[in-house]
Amino acid sequence: MFTGLIIEQGTVKEIRRSQQMIQLTFQASNSVLRDYKIGDSMAVNGVCLTAIETSSTFFRAEIMPETFKRTTISTLKVGDRVNLERAVSMMQRFEGHFVAGHIDTVTRLIKKIENQNALVLTFAYPTKYAGEIIPQGSIAINGVSLTVTDTTIASFSVSLIPHSKSLTNLGNLGVGHLVNIETDIIGKYVKAQRNKFEMYKEKDLL
């Protein structure tokens, strides 16, 4: 489990491909990796990965073909900057929102504008996620916990403060860039219960 609060940006150090197996090596600071062990989780651009090798300056993760296909992991290149977050510790304060590290969809940035000290980003999204993305609701974009500021039938917007722009890779996105999206886990359950209620109602089971 994660919170969507990025601790730092890491760098893609190496990509190994062998048939359907992909291994990625990420460089990070010693402060992030000091007690990071094999088997521990790390959210990389919002994707929950498990370490198979660690050191004081890098960690390596093995990517399943399904994860490779469903996320922007497939677009990464050596030298790319990625958002990193360690899994939540029971001893830390919980901020941000509940983030599972399980990506729902990949979408593109369609508009980017400056509004005084804020950077407003607008993304397209498939209509199947309507009801999971609402104004003032939570969303994770490349693993970053953000509040939805506006929605339309096919897009939503978020606003970045200067701190979020500098600490994450969202500030450097260009129009057309792909991002990982995880909708609010609570919204998913509410939507599922509503759909179940409507299904039972149609069958006169209520």
Side-chain angles (χ1 to χ4, degrees), residues 17-87:
R17 291 184 174 90
S18 177
Q19 296 180 346
Q20 289 191 317
M21 186 274 290
I22 304 99
Q23 285 187 358
L24 293 174
T25 303
F26 301 95
Q27 187 171 355
S29 70
N30 178 255
S31 62
V32 172
L33 300 176
R34 185 181 301 114
D35 60 346
Y36 188 63
K37 306 179 298 298
I38 292 173
D40 286 354
S41 296
M42 181 82 75
V44 178
N45 278 353
V47 183
C48 180
L49 301 180
T50 302
I52 61 170
E53 184 179 346
T54 66
S55 80
S56 61
T57 59
F58 75 86
F59 69 97
R60 182 170 290 122
E62 198 163 79
I63 314 300
M64 295 186 299
E66 188 66 17
T67 301
F68 194 78
K69 290 187 298 185
R70 290 175 60 89
T71 72
T72 62
I73 292 289
S74 61
T75 70
L76 290 178
K77 305 180 296 297
V78 172
D80 282 353
R81 303 282 283 172
V82 292
N83 297 325
L84 300 178
E85 183 191 355
R86 294 279 304 270

Side-chain angles (χ1 to χ4, degrees), residues 169-204:
N169 60 18
L170 297 185
N172 293 324
L173 291 176
V175 171
H177 278 184
L178 291 170
V179 294
N180 295 317
I181 297 292
E182 182 183 333
T183 61
D184 185 17
I185 191 170
I186 297 174
K188 289 186 179 78
Y189 282 111
V190 171
K191 182 179 178 181
Q193 291 302 311
R194 184 187 65 191
N195 291 344
K196 185 182 294 185
F197 176 85
E198 293 298 332
M199 179 183 68
Y200 288 160
K201 187 176 180 181
E202 288 177 4
K203 295 181 178 180
D204 294 325

Side-chain angles (χ1 to χ4, degrees), residues 125-191:
Y125 75 93
T127 54
K128 66 179 288 187
Y129 296 103
E132 295 178 30
I133 303 176
I134 61 172
Q136 306 308 311
S138 297
I139 194 163
I141 304 174
N142 275 359
V144 184
S145 175
L146 295 166
T147 300
V148 178
T149 57
D150 191 24
T151 62
T152 70
I153 193 171
S155 69
F156 70 92
S157 298
V158 296
S159 184
L160 301 184
I161 61 173
H163 176 76
S164 298
K165 287 194 294 183
S166 63
L167 189 62
T168 75
N169 60 18
L170 297 185
N172 293 324
L173 291 176
V175 171
H177 278 184
L178 291 170
V179 294
N180 295 317
I181 297 292
E182 182 183 333
T183 61
D184 185 17
I185 191 170
I186 297 174
K188 289 186 179 78
Y189 282 111
V190 171
K191 182 179 178 181

